[in-house]
Amino acid sequence: MRSRYSAYVLNNHEYLIKTWYPDTCPDHLGGTALKWIALEIVDARQGGEADSDGEVSFIASFFDGRKGKRLHESSHFVRADSSEGSGAWLYVDGKCSVTDIGRNDICPCGSGKKFKHCCGAVT
């Protein structure tokens, strides 16, 4: 999950496609042109060495134009087939919602400052 977030931050389409389950991979990838602020992993279920699938819930904060937003998602991953028995994790799909970051909310970057006095001040 963290590596895919990093790929979005770095606008790395090749990695995103490589780590996407082929049957659900879209023709066009969105979100790579956004300015990403922070990633917070909220919960992870399954996804251990012996598991073939897992779920990760996270909040990814970003700018959409001049507005700060939070993407809340529960992502479903499956382990790719591998002769070694430890294939790579592939993103299948997710259920998500987007909310605004309020000007007086604590900045998601971890500074402890209000958003308007931190990341929200630079837009």
Side-chain angles (χ1 to χ4, degrees):
M1 174 62 236
R2 287 181 177 92
S3 68
R4 286 182 52 81
Y5 171 79
S6 296
Y8 274 100
V9 171
L10 298 171
N11 200 14
N12 187 341
H13 288 243
E14 184 179 310
Y15 184 81
L16 291 168
I17 291 168
K18 178 182 168 186
T19 59
W20 209 306
Y21 189 70
D23 292 348
T24 61
C25 187
D27 294 331
H28 173 72
L29 298 180
T32 57
L34 299 171
K35 181 177 186 263
W36 295 93
I37 303 169
L39 174 67
E40 174 189 354
I41 304 296
V42 177
D43 189 26
R45 289 174 293 288
Q46 296 181 308
E49 289 185 32
D51 295 320
S52 60
D53 67 334
E55 188 172 306
V56 178
S57 297
F58 66 91
I59 301 170
S61 302
F62 64 95
F63 282 105
D64 184 8
R66 295 183 52 104
K67 187 73 176 165
K69 302 206 180 244
R70 289 185 182 100
L71 169 70
H72 305 251
E73 183 170 330
S74 289
S75 298
H76 178 220
F77 290 84
V78 294
R79 191 182 299 273
D81 291 333
S82 171
S83 59
E84 299 87 41
S86 59
W89 287 101
L90 301 176
Y91 174 79
V92 177
D93 60 15
K95 295 179 182 175
C96 64
S97 64
V98 177
T99 59
D100 291 341
I101 300 173
R103 290 175 36 81
N104 291 317
D105 290 350
I106 298 298
C107 192
C109 76
S111 68
K113 297 178 183 179
K114 289 184 179 181
F115 182 66
K116 67 183 178 186
H117 294 299
C118 193
C119 292
V122 297
T123 61

